[in-house]
Amino acid sequence: MALRNIRVIGDEVLNKRCKEVTVITPRTKTLIDDMFETMYDAGGVGLAACQVGVLKRIVVIDTTGEDPVVLINPEIVATDGEQEGYEGCLSIPEKSGWVKRPNYVKCRAYDEELKPFEIEGEGLLARAIAHELEHLDGHLYVEHVEGGVEGLVNNSELVEKEEE
Ligand code: NI
């Protein structure tokens, strides 16, 4: 396993549509292992393949540190409710923005053997799934933030706000 370089906003690979995965090769498995290692190292809860420069529809998520999940060719098939909160992205370091997301998401995807499965999530898991799937279509959460990149706040300012 190896750490991969996380691409940051401004890198055009983040604005491209990722391609469906049709075959799992040893390279795909290495990519997935590296994505987990890179995500944990950076302290994130989700990472899409395009964020390490690979235009494939692969996402890794772990919102608790104990529930790693790989989503290949994922699709959201149901949503419910709404949540609002600050959201960040490893490709937009040290910034956060206020984003509305569904509070519940049901997602259909394929596992590392290309077997279909479904995953449901509420709260942070729903937010992570919604956020990561947007990456696969070349979108970033700042598109939902009023004012775009200008509307983001520094995470250090957020911590100060919480302490008040
Ligand atoms: Ni992100």
Side-chain angles (χ1 to χ4, degrees):
M1 297 215 290
L3 290 177
R4 303 225 182 177
N5 186 27
I6 299 176
R7 306 300 185 91
V8 295
I9 187 166
D11 188 323
E12 63 183 25
V13 77
L14 295 172
N15 304 120
K16 293 190 167 152
R17 187 184 182 278
C18 297
K19 295 194 179 75
E20 273 74 19
V21 175
T22 55
V23 58
I24 302 289
T25 66
R27 278 184 71 178
T28 319
K29 298 214 172 198
T30 301
L31 169 67
I32 291 167
D33 287 345
D34 290 353
M35 285 172 64
F36 273 115
E37 192 178 352
T38 304
M39 176 186 78
Y40 290 131
D41 180 72
V45 298
L47 190 73
C50 56
Q51 292 181 274
V52 293
V54 180
L55 287 169
K56 289 189 172 162
R57 301 186 83 78
I58 302 175
V59 157
V60 298
I61 290 176
D62 188 346
T63 55
T64 67
E66 295 174 353
D67 297 296
V69 57
V70 180
L71 304 174
I72 297 175
N73 302 337
E75 272 181 83
I76 290 174
V77 292
T79 63
D80 193 30
E82 191 175 88
Q83 58 175 315
E84 292 187 45
Y86 281 104
E87 186 165 317
C89 177
L90 293 178
S91 292
I92 309 170
E94 288 157 31
K95 302 272 188 185
S96 293
W98 190 257
V99 182
K100 279 185 197 170
R101 296 287 188 189
N103 193 51
Y104 163 88
V105 166
K106 184 197 258 188
C107 175
R108 192 172 292 154
Y110 295 83
D111 67 14
E112 287 176 84
E113 272 70 54
L114 285 184
K115 290 203 184 85
F117 72 103
E118 285 187 344
I119 179 171
E120 295 176 293
E122 291 186 6
L124 180 59
L125 181 55
R127 179 179 289 279
I129 292 170
H131 175 118
E132 297 309 329
L133 265 61
E134 285 186 345
H135 275 296
L136 301 181
D137 289 316
H139 296 291
L140 296 170
Y141 80 89
V142 294
E143 294 167 37
H144 303 293
V145 176
E146 204 174 318
V149 177
E150 299 300 316
L152 299 181
V153 297
N154 284 319
N155 287 344
S156 56
E157 291 168 11
L158 265 187
V159 171
E160 282 165 20
K161 271 185 200 160
E162 279 166 11
E163 282 170 354
E164 271 169 20

